[in-house]
Every structure is written in structure tokens, then in C-alpha cells.
Short mmCIF file of all heavy atoms in Angstrom, two decimals:
data_model
loop_
_atom_site.label_atom_id
_atom_site.label_comp_id
_atom_site.label_asym_id
_atom_site.label_seq_id
_atom_site.Cartn_x
_atom_site.Cartn_y
_atom_site.Cartn_z
N MET A 1 0.85 -1.21 0.00
CA MET A 1 0.00 0.00 0.00
C MET A 1 0.88 1.26 0.00
O MET A 1 1.76 1.40 0.85
CB MET A 1 -0.89 0.02 1.24
CG MET A 1 -1.96 -1.06 1.22
SD MET A 1 -3.46 -0.49 0.44
CE MET A 1 -4.19 0.44 1.80
N ALA A 2 0.67 2.16 -0.95
CA ALA A 2 1.46 3.39 -1.01
C ALA A 2 0.64 4.45 -1.74
O ALA A 2 -0.10 4.14 -2.67
CB ALA A 2 2.76 3.14 -1.75
N ASP A 3 0.76 5.67 -1.29
CA ASP A 3 0.07 6.78 -1.94
C ASP A 3 0.86 7.28 -3.15
O ASP A 3 0.31 7.92 -4.02
CB ASP A 3 -0.14 7.93 -0.95
CG ASP A 3 -1.12 7.55 0.15
OD1 ASP A 3 -2.03 6.76 -0.15
OD2 ASP A 3 -0.95 8.01 1.28
N PHE A 4 2.15 6.96 -3.16
CA PHE A 4 2.99 7.40 -4.27
C PHE A 4 3.66 6.18 -4.90
O PHE A 4 3.96 5.19 -4.22
CB PHE A 4 4.07 8.37 -3.77
CG PHE A 4 3.49 9.64 -3.22
CD1 PHE A 4 3.20 9.78 -1.88
CD2 PHE A 4 3.22 10.70 -4.09
CE1 PHE A 4 2.66 10.95 -1.37
CE2 PHE A 4 2.66 11.88 -3.59
CZ PHE A 4 2.38 12.00 -2.23
N CYS A 5 3.89 6.27 -6.21
CA CYS A 5 4.54 5.16 -6.92
C CYS A 5 5.93 4.91 -6.35
O CYS A 5 6.72 5.83 -6.17
CB CYS A 5 4.62 5.51 -8.40
SG CYS A 5 5.48 4.27 -9.37
N LEU A 6 6.21 3.65 -6.05
CA LEU A 6 7.50 3.29 -5.46
C LEU A 6 8.62 3.37 -6.50
O LEU A 6 9.79 3.33 -6.16
CB LEU A 6 7.44 1.87 -4.89
CG LEU A 6 6.48 1.70 -3.70
CD1 LEU A 6 6.33 0.24 -3.35
CD2 LEU A 6 6.96 2.49 -2.50
N ARG A 7 8.26 3.44 -7.77
CA ARG A 7 9.28 3.46 -8.81
C ARG A 7 9.61 4.88 -9.22
O ARG A 7 10.78 5.24 -9.31
CB ARG A 7 8.79 2.66 -10.02
CG ARG A 7 9.88 2.31 -11.00
CD ARG A 7 9.35 1.29 -11.99
NE ARG A 7 10.42 0.79 -12.83
CZ ARG A 7 10.78 1.38 -13.97
NH1 ARG A 7 10.18 2.46 -14.38
NH2 ARG A 7 11.75 0.86 -14.68
N CYS A 8 8.56 5.70 -9.51
CA CYS A 8 8.82 7.05 -10.03
C CYS A 8 8.39 8.14 -9.06
O CYS A 8 8.71 9.30 -9.27
CB CYS A 8 8.14 7.23 -11.38
SG CYS A 8 6.35 7.25 -11.30
N GLY A 9 7.66 7.80 -7.99
CA GLY A 9 7.33 8.78 -6.96
C GLY A 9 6.10 9.61 -7.28
O GLY A 9 5.77 10.53 -6.53
N ARG A 10 5.42 9.31 -8.38
CA ARG A 10 4.21 10.07 -8.72
C ARG A 10 3.04 9.65 -7.84
O ARG A 10 2.98 8.49 -7.39
CB ARG A 10 3.86 9.81 -10.19
CG ARG A 10 4.48 10.85 -11.11
CD ARG A 10 3.98 10.66 -12.51
NE ARG A 10 5.00 9.98 -13.31
CZ ARG A 10 4.80 9.58 -14.55
NH1 ARG A 10 3.62 9.72 -15.13
NH2 ARG A 10 5.76 8.99 -15.21
N ALA A 11 2.09 10.56 -7.63
CA ALA A 11 0.92 10.25 -6.81
C ALA A 11 0.06 9.20 -7.50
O ALA A 11 -0.13 9.24 -8.72
CB ALA A 11 0.10 11.51 -6.58
N LEU A 12 -0.42 8.21 -6.75
CA LEU A 12 -1.27 7.15 -7.31
C LEU A 12 -2.72 7.57 -7.18
O LEU A 12 -3.17 7.98 -6.11
CB LEU A 12 -1.00 5.84 -6.58
CG LEU A 12 0.45 5.34 -6.69
CD1 LEU A 12 0.65 4.11 -5.84
CD2 LEU A 12 0.82 5.05 -8.13
N LYS A 13 -3.47 7.43 -8.28
CA LYS A 13 -4.84 7.96 -8.31
C LYS A 13 -5.89 6.88 -8.09
O LYS A 13 -6.95 7.15 -7.55
CB LYS A 13 -5.09 8.66 -9.66
CG LYS A 13 -4.40 10.02 -9.70
CD LYS A 13 -4.38 10.56 -11.12
CE LYS A 13 -3.52 11.82 -11.18
NZ LYS A 13 -3.33 12.25 -12.57
N ASN A 14 -5.63 5.64 -8.52
CA ASN A 14 -6.70 4.64 -8.34
C ASN A 14 -6.32 3.57 -7.31
O ASN A 14 -5.14 3.38 -6.99
CB ASN A 14 -7.12 4.02 -9.67
CG ASN A 14 -5.97 3.35 -10.38
OD1 ASN A 14 -5.40 2.39 -9.86
ND2 ASN A 14 -5.62 3.85 -11.55
N LYS A 15 -7.34 2.89 -6.82
CA LYS A 15 -7.17 1.97 -5.68
C LYS A 15 -6.21 0.83 -6.03
O LYS A 15 -5.39 0.43 -5.21
CB LYS A 15 -8.53 1.38 -5.27
CG LYS A 15 -9.33 2.33 -4.41
CD LYS A 15 -10.65 1.68 -4.02
CE LYS A 15 -11.55 2.67 -3.28
NZ LYS A 15 -12.85 2.06 -2.98
N SER A 16 -6.33 0.28 -7.22
CA SER A 16 -5.49 -0.87 -7.57
C SER A 16 -4.02 -0.44 -7.64
O SER A 16 -3.13 -1.19 -7.24
CB SER A 16 -5.94 -1.48 -8.90
OG SER A 16 -5.90 -0.53 -9.93
N SER A 17 -3.77 0.78 -8.11
CA SER A 17 -2.39 1.26 -8.14
C SER A 17 -1.85 1.44 -6.73
O SER A 17 -0.71 1.09 -6.44
CB SER A 17 -2.31 2.60 -8.88
OG SER A 17 -2.62 2.44 -10.23
N ILE A 18 -2.69 1.97 -5.84
CA ILE A 18 -2.28 2.17 -4.45
C ILE A 18 -2.00 0.82 -3.80
O ILE A 18 -1.02 0.64 -3.07
CB ILE A 18 -3.36 2.96 -3.69
CG1 ILE A 18 -3.41 4.41 -4.20
CG2 ILE A 18 -3.09 2.95 -2.18
CD1 ILE A 18 -4.66 5.17 -3.79
N LYS A 19 -2.81 -0.19 -4.10
CA LYS A 19 -2.59 -1.54 -3.56
C LYS A 19 -1.26 -2.11 -4.02
O LYS A 19 -0.52 -2.70 -3.26
CB LYS A 19 -3.73 -2.48 -4.02
CG LYS A 19 -4.86 -2.60 -3.03
CD LYS A 19 -5.77 -3.73 -3.48
CE LYS A 19 -7.02 -3.78 -2.61
NZ LYS A 19 -7.94 -4.84 -3.07
N ARG A 20 -0.97 -1.94 -5.31
CA ARG A 20 0.29 -2.48 -5.87
C ARG A 20 1.48 -1.66 -5.41
O ARG A 20 2.58 -2.18 -5.28
CB ARG A 20 0.22 -2.46 -7.40
CG ARG A 20 -0.72 -3.48 -7.99
CD ARG A 20 -0.60 -3.52 -9.49
NE ARG A 20 -1.03 -2.27 -10.10
CZ ARG A 20 -1.92 -2.17 -11.09
NH1 ARG A 20 -2.46 -3.24 -11.60
NH2 ARG A 20 -2.26 -1.01 -11.58
N GLY A 21 1.24 -0.35 -5.21
CA GLY A 21 2.34 0.54 -4.84
C GLY A 21 3.02 1.14 -6.07
O GLY A 21 4.03 1.82 -5.95
N TYR A 22 2.50 0.83 -7.26
CA TYR A 22 3.08 1.36 -8.50
C TYR A 22 1.98 1.87 -9.39
O TYR A 22 0.88 1.31 -9.40
CB TYR A 22 3.83 0.26 -9.26
CG TYR A 22 4.99 -0.32 -8.49
CD1 TYR A 22 4.85 -1.52 -7.83
CD2 TYR A 22 6.21 0.34 -8.45
CE1 TYR A 22 5.90 -2.07 -7.12
CE2 TYR A 22 7.27 -0.20 -7.74
CZ TYR A 22 7.10 -1.40 -7.09
OH TYR A 22 8.16 -1.93 -6.39
N GLY A 23 2.24 2.90 -10.16
CA GLY A 23 1.31 3.34 -11.19
C GLY A 23 1.21 2.28 -12.27
O GLY A 23 2.08 1.41 -12.37
N PRO A 24 0.15 2.33 -13.11
CA PRO A 24 -0.05 1.28 -14.12
C PRO A 24 1.13 1.15 -15.07
O PRO A 24 1.54 0.04 -15.43
CB PRO A 24 -1.32 1.70 -14.85
CG PRO A 24 -1.62 3.09 -14.40
CD PRO A 24 -0.93 3.32 -13.10
N GLY A 25 1.71 2.25 -15.49
CA GLY A 25 2.85 2.19 -16.42
C GLY A 25 4.05 1.54 -15.77
O GLY A 25 4.68 0.66 -16.35
N CYS A 26 4.36 1.95 -14.53
CA CYS A 26 5.51 1.39 -13.84
C CYS A 26 5.27 -0.08 -13.51
O CYS A 26 6.19 -0.90 -13.58
CB CYS A 26 5.79 2.18 -12.57
SG CYS A 26 6.41 3.84 -12.90
N TYR A 27 4.06 -0.44 -13.17
CA TYR A 27 3.75 -1.84 -12.84
C TYR A 27 4.01 -2.74 -14.05
O TYR A 27 4.59 -3.82 -13.94
CB TYR A 27 2.30 -1.93 -12.39
CG TYR A 27 1.92 -3.28 -11.85
CD1 TYR A 27 2.47 -3.74 -10.66
CD2 TYR A 27 1.02 -4.09 -12.54
CE1 TYR A 27 2.13 -4.98 -10.17
CE2 TYR A 27 0.68 -5.32 -12.05
CZ TYR A 27 1.22 -5.77 -10.87
OH TYR A 27 0.89 -6.99 -10.39
N LYS A 28 3.60 -2.28 -15.22
CA LYS A 28 3.85 -3.05 -16.46
C LYS A 28 5.35 -3.20 -16.70
O LYS A 28 5.84 -4.27 -17.05
CB LYS A 28 3.21 -2.35 -17.66
CG LYS A 28 1.74 -2.69 -17.84
CD LYS A 28 1.21 -1.99 -19.07
CE LYS A 28 -0.31 -2.04 -19.10
NZ LYS A 28 -0.85 -1.20 -20.18
N LYS A 29 6.07 -2.10 -16.53
CA LYS A 29 7.52 -2.14 -16.77
C LYS A 29 8.20 -3.11 -15.81
O LYS A 29 9.08 -3.87 -16.20
CB LYS A 29 8.11 -0.73 -16.60
CG LYS A 29 7.93 0.13 -17.81
CD LYS A 29 8.57 1.48 -17.60
CE LYS A 29 8.26 2.41 -18.77
NZ LYS A 29 8.77 3.77 -18.53
N ILE A 30 7.77 -3.08 -14.55
CA ILE A 30 8.37 -3.97 -13.56
C ILE A 30 8.08 -5.43 -13.92
O ILE A 30 8.96 -6.28 -13.85
CB ILE A 30 7.86 -3.61 -12.16
CG1 ILE A 30 8.50 -2.29 -11.72
CG2 ILE A 30 8.17 -4.72 -11.16
CD1 ILE A 30 7.75 -1.60 -10.61
N ASN A 31 6.86 -5.71 -14.32
CA ASN A 31 6.52 -7.08 -14.73
C ASN A 31 7.37 -7.54 -15.90
O ASN A 31 7.87 -8.66 -15.94
CB ASN A 31 5.05 -7.16 -15.13
CG ASN A 31 4.16 -7.43 -13.93
OD1 ASN A 31 4.67 -7.74 -12.85
ND2 ASN A 31 2.88 -7.32 -14.11
N ARG A 32 7.55 -6.65 -16.88
CA ARG A 32 8.36 -7.00 -18.06
C ARG A 32 9.80 -7.26 -17.65
O ARG A 32 10.43 -8.20 -18.11
CB ARG A 32 8.32 -5.84 -19.05
CG ARG A 32 7.33 -6.07 -20.17
CD ARG A 32 7.44 -4.95 -21.17
NE ARG A 32 6.13 -4.34 -21.38
CZ ARG A 32 5.95 -3.13 -21.88
NH1 ARG A 32 6.98 -2.38 -22.19
NH2 ARG A 32 4.75 -2.66 -22.05
N GLU A 33 10.33 -6.41 -16.78
CA GLU A 33 11.73 -6.57 -16.36
C GLU A 33 11.92 -7.90 -15.63
O GLU A 33 12.92 -8.59 -15.84
CB GLU A 33 12.13 -5.40 -15.46
CG GLU A 33 12.47 -4.16 -16.27
CD GLU A 33 12.52 -2.91 -15.42
OE1 GLU A 33 12.55 -3.01 -14.20
OE2 GLU A 33 12.53 -1.82 -16.00
N GLU A 34 10.94 -8.27 -14.78
CA GLU A 34 11.05 -9.55 -14.05
C GLU A 34 11.01 -10.71 -15.03
O GLU A 34 11.77 -11.66 -14.92
CB GLU A 34 9.90 -9.66 -13.05
CG GLU A 34 10.20 -8.88 -11.77
CD GLU A 34 9.07 -8.99 -10.77
OE1 GLU A 34 8.11 -9.72 -11.01
OE2 GLU A 34 9.16 -8.30 -9.74
N LYS A 35 10.10 -10.63 -16.02
CA LYS A 35 10.01 -11.70 -17.03
C LYS A 35 11.31 -11.81 -17.81
O LYS A 35 11.81 -12.88 -18.07
CB LYS A 35 8.86 -11.42 -17.99
CG LYS A 35 7.53 -11.94 -17.50
CD LYS A 35 6.47 -11.75 -18.59
CE LYS A 35 5.10 -12.14 -18.06
NZ LYS A 35 4.06 -11.85 -19.06
N LYS A 36 11.85 -10.66 -18.21
CA LYS A 36 13.10 -10.66 -18.97
C LYS A 36 14.21 -11.33 -18.17
O LYS A 36 14.98 -12.12 -18.70
CB LYS A 36 13.50 -9.22 -19.29
CG LYS A 36 13.02 -8.75 -20.64
CD LYS A 36 13.62 -7.40 -20.95
CE LYS A 36 13.02 -6.81 -22.23
NZ LYS A 36 13.53 -5.46 -22.47
N ASP A 37 14.29 -10.99 -16.87
CA ASP A 37 15.34 -11.58 -16.04
C ASP A 37 15.22 -13.09 -16.03
O ASP A 37 16.18 -13.81 -16.22
CB ASP A 37 15.22 -11.04 -14.60
CG ASP A 37 15.78 -9.62 -14.51
OD1 ASP A 37 16.43 -9.19 -15.49
OD2 ASP A 37 15.57 -8.97 -13.50
N LYS A 38 13.98 -13.60 -15.84
CA LYS A 38 13.78 -15.05 -15.77
C LYS A 38 14.11 -15.69 -17.11
O LYS A 38 14.76 -16.71 -17.19
CB LYS A 38 12.32 -15.35 -15.40
CG LYS A 38 12.06 -15.20 -13.91
CD LYS A 38 10.58 -15.36 -13.60
CE LYS A 38 10.30 -14.96 -12.16
NZ LYS A 38 8.86 -14.88 -11.89
N GLU A 39 13.65 -15.06 -18.21
CA GLU A 39 13.89 -15.63 -19.53
C GLU A 39 15.38 -15.65 -19.85
O GLU A 39 15.88 -16.62 -20.38
CB GLU A 39 13.13 -14.82 -20.58
CG GLU A 39 11.65 -15.19 -20.64
CD GLU A 39 10.86 -14.24 -21.52
OE1 GLU A 39 11.48 -13.43 -22.23
OE2 GLU A 39 9.63 -14.32 -21.49
N SER A 40 16.07 -14.57 -19.52
CA SER A 40 17.49 -14.51 -19.86
C SER A 40 18.27 -15.55 -19.04
O SER A 40 19.22 -16.14 -19.52
CB SER A 40 18.05 -13.11 -19.60
OG SER A 40 17.99 -12.79 -18.23
N GLN A 41 17.83 -15.80 -17.80
CA GLN A 41 18.50 -16.82 -17.00
C GLN A 41 18.32 -18.19 -17.64
O GLN A 41 19.25 -18.97 -17.73
CB GLN A 41 17.92 -16.84 -15.58
CG GLN A 41 18.55 -15.75 -14.71
CD GLN A 41 17.93 -15.68 -13.33
OE1 GLN A 41 16.97 -16.41 -13.04
NE2 GLN A 41 18.45 -14.84 -12.49
N VAL A 42 17.10 -18.47 -18.11
CA VAL A 42 16.83 -19.76 -18.74
C VAL A 42 17.66 -19.89 -20.01
O VAL A 42 18.25 -20.92 -20.27
CB VAL A 42 15.32 -19.89 -19.07
CG1 VAL A 42 15.08 -21.09 -19.97
CG2 VAL A 42 14.52 -20.02 -17.78
N ASP A 43 17.73 -18.82 -20.79
CA ASP A 43 18.49 -18.85 -22.03
C ASP A 43 19.96 -19.15 -21.75
O ASP A 43 20.58 -19.95 -22.44
CB ASP A 43 18.38 -17.51 -22.76
CG ASP A 43 17.04 -17.39 -23.47
OD1 ASP A 43 16.34 -18.40 -23.60
OD2 ASP A 43 16.72 -16.28 -23.88
N VAL A 44 20.52 -18.52 -20.74
CA VAL A 44 21.93 -18.75 -20.40
C VAL A 44 22.14 -20.22 -20.05
O VAL A 44 23.08 -20.85 -20.51
CB VAL A 44 22.35 -17.84 -19.23
CG1 VAL A 44 23.69 -18.28 -18.67
CG2 VAL A 44 22.43 -16.39 -19.69
N ASN A 45 21.24 -20.78 -19.26
CA ASN A 45 21.36 -22.19 -18.88
C ASN A 45 21.31 -23.08 -20.13
O ASN A 45 22.10 -23.99 -20.27
CB ASN A 45 20.23 -22.59 -17.93
CG ASN A 45 20.46 -22.01 -16.54
OD1 ASN A 45 21.58 -21.64 -16.21
ND2 ASN A 45 19.41 -21.94 -15.76
N LYS A 46 20.39 -22.79 -21.03
CA LYS A 46 20.27 -23.60 -22.25
C LYS A 46 21.55 -23.53 -23.06
O LYS A 46 22.06 -24.53 -23.52
CB LYS A 46 19.09 -23.08 -23.09
CG LYS A 46 17.78 -23.74 -22.76
CD LYS A 46 16.72 -23.25 -23.75
CE LYS A 46 15.34 -23.65 -23.30
NZ LYS A 46 14.31 -23.00 -24.11
N GLU A 47 22.06 -22.30 -23.25
CA GLU A 47 23.27 -22.13 -24.06
C GLU A 47 24.44 -22.88 -23.44
O GLU A 47 25.21 -23.51 -24.14
CB GLU A 47 23.59 -20.64 -24.18
CG GLU A 47 22.81 -19.98 -25.30
CD GLU A 47 23.04 -18.48 -25.32
OE1 GLU A 47 24.08 -18.02 -24.88
OE2 GLU A 47 22.13 -17.78 -25.79
N GLU A 48 24.56 -22.80 -22.14
CA GLU A 48 25.66 -23.48 -21.47
C GLU A 48 25.56 -24.99 -21.68
O GLU A 48 26.54 -25.65 -21.96
CB GLU A 48 25.62 -23.18 -19.97
CG GLU A 48 26.36 -21.87 -19.64
CD GLU A 48 26.32 -21.57 -18.16
OE1 GLU A 48 25.68 -22.34 -17.42
OE2 GLU A 48 26.91 -20.59 -17.77
N ARG A 49 24.34 -25.52 -21.56
CA ARG A 49 24.15 -26.96 -21.70
C ARG A 49 24.50 -27.41 -23.13
O ARG A 49 25.18 -28.39 -23.34
CB ARG A 49 22.69 -27.31 -21.38
CG ARG A 49 22.58 -28.56 -20.55
CD ARG A 49 21.12 -28.93 -20.35
NE ARG A 49 20.43 -27.97 -19.51
CZ ARG A 49 19.12 -27.78 -19.52
NH1 ARG A 49 18.36 -28.46 -20.34
NH2 ARG A 49 18.56 -26.91 -18.73
N ILE A 50 24.03 -26.63 -24.12
CA ILE A 50 24.29 -26.99 -25.52
C ILE A 50 25.79 -26.95 -25.78
O ILE A 50 26.34 -27.83 -26.42
CB ILE A 50 23.53 -26.03 -26.45
CG1 ILE A 50 22.03 -26.33 -26.41
CG2 ILE A 50 24.04 -26.14 -27.88
CD1 ILE A 50 21.18 -25.20 -26.97
N GLU A 51 26.45 -25.92 -25.25
CA GLU A 51 27.88 -25.77 -25.49
C GLU A 51 28.65 -26.98 -24.91
O GLU A 51 29.50 -27.55 -25.56
CB GLU A 51 28.36 -24.49 -24.81
CG GLU A 51 29.49 -23.83 -25.57
CD GLU A 51 29.87 -22.51 -24.93
OE1 GLU A 51 29.07 -21.57 -25.01
OE2 GLU A 51 30.94 -22.43 -24.34
N ILE A 52 28.27 -27.37 -23.71
CA ILE A 52 28.96 -28.49 -23.05
C ILE A 52 28.72 -29.77 -23.84
O ILE A 52 29.65 -30.51 -24.11
CB ILE A 52 28.47 -28.62 -21.59
CG1 ILE A 52 28.98 -27.43 -20.77
CG2 ILE A 52 28.95 -29.93 -20.98
CD1 ILE A 52 28.25 -27.25 -19.45
N GLU A 53 27.47 -30.00 -24.25
CA GLU A 53 27.17 -31.22 -25.01
C GLU A 53 27.97 -31.24 -26.31
O GLU A 53 28.53 -32.24 -26.70
CB GLU A 53 25.67 -31.28 -25.32
CG GLU A 53 24.86 -31.82 -24.15
CD GLU A 53 23.37 -31.74 -24.40
OE1 GLU A 53 22.97 -31.42 -25.53
OE2 GLU A 53 22.62 -32.00 -23.46
N GLY A 54 28.04 -30.08 -26.99
CA GLY A 54 28.77 -29.99 -28.23
C GLY A 54 30.25 -30.28 -28.02
O GLY A 54 30.87 -30.99 -28.80
N GLN A 55 30.80 -29.74 -26.95
CA GLN A 55 32.22 -29.98 -26.67
C GLN A 55 32.48 -31.46 -26.43
O GLN A 55 33.44 -32.02 -26.95
CB GLN A 55 32.65 -29.17 -25.44
CG GLN A 55 32.92 -27.72 -25.78
CD GLN A 55 33.23 -26.90 -24.56
OE1 GLN A 55 32.99 -27.34 -23.45
NE2 GLN A 55 33.74 -25.71 -24.76
N ILE A 56 31.60 -32.09 -25.68
CA ILE A 56 31.77 -33.52 -25.40
C ILE A 56 31.68 -34.30 -26.70
O ILE A 56 32.48 -35.18 -26.98
CB ILE A 56 30.70 -34.00 -24.39
CG1 ILE A 56 30.99 -33.40 -23.02
CG2 ILE A 56 30.67 -35.53 -24.31
CD1 ILE A 56 29.84 -33.52 -22.05
N PHE A 57 30.71 -33.91 -27.53
CA PHE A 57 30.50 -34.61 -28.78
C PHE A 57 31.74 -34.50 -29.67
O PHE A 57 32.23 -35.49 -30.22
CB PHE A 57 29.28 -34.02 -29.48
CG PHE A 57 28.88 -34.78 -30.70
CD1 PHE A 57 28.53 -36.11 -30.63
CD2 PHE A 57 28.85 -34.13 -31.93
CE1 PHE A 57 28.16 -36.80 -31.76
CE2 PHE A 57 28.48 -34.82 -33.07
CZ PHE A 57 28.14 -36.18 -32.99
N ILE A 58 32.27 -33.26 -29.78
CA ILE A 58 33.45 -33.05 -30.62
C ILE A 58 34.65 -33.82 -30.05
O ILE A 58 35.41 -34.46 -30.79
CB ILE A 58 33.76 -31.54 -30.73
CG1 ILE A 58 32.70 -30.87 -31.61
CG2 ILE A 58 35.15 -31.31 -31.32
CD1 ILE A 58 32.65 -29.37 -31.43
N ASP A 59 34.81 -33.80 -28.75
CA ASP A 59 35.91 -34.53 -28.12
C ASP A 59 35.81 -36.02 -28.45
O ASP A 59 36.80 -36.66 -28.81
CB ASP A 59 35.86 -34.35 -26.60
CG ASP A 59 36.35 -32.95 -26.21
OD1 ASP A 59 36.92 -32.27 -27.10
OD2 ASP A 59 36.18 -32.57 -25.06
N GLU A 60 34.61 -36.56 -28.35
CA GLU A 60 34.43 -37.99 -28.63
C GLU A 60 34.76 -38.30 -30.09
O GLU A 60 35.41 -39.29 -30.40
CB GLU A 60 32.98 -38.39 -28.33
CG GLU A 60 32.75 -38.67 -26.85
CD GLU A 60 31.31 -39.06 -26.58
OE1 GLU A 60 30.49 -38.97 -27.50
OE2 GLU A 60 31.04 -39.46 -25.45
N LEU A 61 34.29 -37.42 -30.98
CA LEU A 61 34.56 -37.63 -32.41
C LEU A 61 36.06 -37.65 -32.68
O LEU A 61 36.57 -38.53 -33.36
CB LEU A 61 33.92 -36.49 -33.21
CG LEU A 61 32.54 -36.77 -33.79
CD1 LEU A 61 32.09 -35.57 -34.60
CD2 LEU A 61 32.56 -38.00 -34.69
N GLU A 62 36.77 -36.68 -32.12
CA GLU A 62 38.21 -36.59 -32.35
C GLU A 62 38.93 -37.79 -31.74
O GLU A 62 39.89 -38.31 -32.30
CB GLU A 62 38.75 -35.28 -31.78
CG GLU A 62 38.52 -34.14 -32.77
CD GLU A 62 39.03 -32.82 -32.22
OE1 GLU A 62 39.14 -32.68 -31.00
OE2 GLU A 62 39.29 -31.93 -33.05
N GLU A 63 38.43 -38.23 -30.60
CA GLU A 63 39.04 -39.39 -29.95
C GLU A 63 38.88 -40.63 -30.86
O GLU A 63 39.82 -41.39 -31.07
CB GLU A 63 38.33 -39.64 -28.61
CG GLU A 63 39.28 -40.14 -27.53
CD GLU A 63 38.56 -40.23 -26.20
OE1 GLU A 63 38.19 -39.19 -25.65
OE2 GLU A 63 38.34 -41.36 -25.75
N ARG A 64 37.68 -40.77 -31.41
CA ARG A 64 37.44 -41.92 -32.30
C ARG A 64 38.33 -41.85 -33.54
O ARG A 64 38.89 -42.83 -33.99
CB ARG A 64 35.96 -41.93 -32.72
CG ARG A 64 35.06 -42.51 -31.64
CD ARG A 64 33.61 -42.41 -32.06
NE ARG A 64 32.73 -42.43 -30.91
CZ ARG A 64 31.43 -42.16 -30.96
NH1 ARG A 64 30.86 -41.84 -32.10
NH2 ARG A 64 30.70 -42.20 -29.88
N ARG A 65 38.44 -40.62 -34.10
CA ARG A 65 39.26 -40.44 -35.30
C ARG A 65 40.72 -40.82 -35.01
O ARG A 65 41.36 -41.54 -35.76
CB ARG A 65 39.20 -38.98 -35.75
CG ARG A 65 38.03 -38.73 -36.67
CD ARG A 65 38.07 -37.29 -37.14
NE ARG A 65 36.76 -36.84 -37.57
CZ ARG A 65 36.42 -35.56 -37.70
NH1 ARG A 65 37.29 -34.61 -37.42
NH2 ARG A 65 35.23 -35.23 -38.11
N SER A 66 41.25 -40.32 -33.90
CA SER A 66 42.66 -40.57 -33.57
C SER A 66 42.86 -42.06 -33.28
O SER A 66 43.90 -42.62 -33.61
CB SER A 66 43.07 -39.72 -32.36
OG SER A 66 42.32 -40.08 -31.24
N MET A 67 41.85 -42.70 -32.69
CA MET A 67 41.98 -44.14 -32.42
C MET A 67 42.01 -44.92 -33.71
O MET A 67 42.76 -45.88 -33.87
CB MET A 67 40.80 -44.61 -31.55
CG MET A 67 41.02 -44.34 -30.06
SD MET A 67 39.57 -44.66 -29.07
CE MET A 67 39.60 -46.45 -29.06
N ARG A 68 41.21 -44.50 -34.70
CA ARG A 68 41.21 -45.18 -36.00
C ARG A 68 42.58 -45.03 -36.66
O ARG A 68 43.11 -45.95 -37.26
CB ARG A 68 40.13 -44.56 -36.90
CG ARG A 68 38.79 -45.25 -36.74
CD ARG A 68 37.78 -44.62 -37.69
NE ARG A 68 36.43 -44.72 -37.15
CZ ARG A 68 35.41 -43.97 -37.57
NH1 ARG A 68 35.59 -43.06 -38.51
NH2 ARG A 68 34.22 -44.12 -37.06
N LYS A 69 43.15 -43.82 -36.60
CA LYS A 69 44.44 -43.56 -37.22
C LYS A 69 45.52 -44.45 -36.59
O LYS A 69 46.35 -45.03 -37.29
CB LYS A 69 44.82 -42.09 -37.02
CG LYS A 69 44.21 -41.20 -38.10
CD LYS A 69 44.60 -39.76 -37.85
CE LYS A 69 43.75 -38.81 -38.70
NZ LYS A 69 44.00 -37.42 -38.32
N ILE A 70 45.47 -44.55 -35.28
CA ILE A 70 46.49 -45.33 -34.57
C ILE A 70 46.34 -46.82 -34.90
O ILE A 70 47.31 -47.49 -35.26
CB ILE A 70 46.37 -45.10 -33.04
CG1 ILE A 70 46.77 -43.65 -32.71
CG2 ILE A 70 47.24 -46.09 -32.26
CD1 ILE A 70 46.28 -43.19 -31.36
N SER A 71 45.09 -47.30 -34.87
CA SER A 71 44.87 -48.73 -35.12
C SER A 71 44.68 -48.93 -36.61
O SER A 71 45.39 -49.58 -37.27
CB SER A 71 43.62 -49.20 -34.40
OG SER A 71 42.49 -48.53 -34.94
ZN1 ZN B 101 5.52 5.15 -11.37
#
């Protein structure tokens, strides 16, 4: 509960904004920023996993190739 927006400090005019503590514009921006943070974290995890799998795959391929050359 706040009479002023916690993000930009402007006076809140409607009840739902006062309940949230943010004006409608700031509330949308905050929601988007939170979503972006979560999405970017997931993306980083995915990229890391793919990179590791690819490295393992390439290592295995090269190991097989070198074993064929030797034998
Ligand atoms: Zn605001």
C-alpha cells in the first residue's frame, strides 16, 4: 500500500495502483523486467548446456578419429 509510486514517486490515483504501490505504467515495466530476467537466466542455462554437449561430442569424435588412425 502506497500513496505514491515506489518506482517514479508520482501520486497514485486509483485503488489498484495504491494496492500495488506502482502506477499502471511502472507496474507493467516492472513485470516485463522480471520476465526478462527469468527468460534470460533460462536462455543462459540452455546455451551453457548446448555448449557443453557440443564440446563432449566433438571430443568424442576426435578421440574416435585418432583411435582409428592409430589402429
Ligand atoms: Zn511510477
Side-chain angles (χ1 to χ4, degrees):
M1 291 271 280
D3 293 328
F4 296 92
C5 177
L6 294 171
R7 195 168 188 272
C8 68
R10 268 186 258 174
L12 300 175
K13 284 167 188 172
N14 59 62
K15 280 181 186 176
S16 58
S17 294
I18 291 165
K19 265 190 187 178
R20 288 187 295 232
Y22 299 100
C26 290
Y27 187 67
K28 275 182 194 172
K29 279 182 186 174
I30 288 160
N31 273 350
R32 261 185 234 160
E33 280 166 13
E34 279 180 5
K35 273 186 186 175
K36 265 188 188 176
D37 283 349
K38 281 174 190 171
E39 280 171 10
S40 64
Q41 278 176 356
V42 169
D43 283 347
V44 167
N45 286 341
K46 270 185 192 171
E47 276 174 27
E48 274 180 357
R49 221 184 292 156
I50 288 163
E51 213 175 291
I52 290 164
E53 278 174 9
Q55 280 175 346
I56 290 166
F57 187 60
I58 288 162
D59 285 348
E60 278 180 352
L61 264 182
E62 277 179 338
E63 216 174 292
R64 280 176 204 169
R65 272 183 203 162
S66 63
M67 277 171 75
R68 270 182 209 162
K69 275 179 193 172
I70 292 162
S71 63

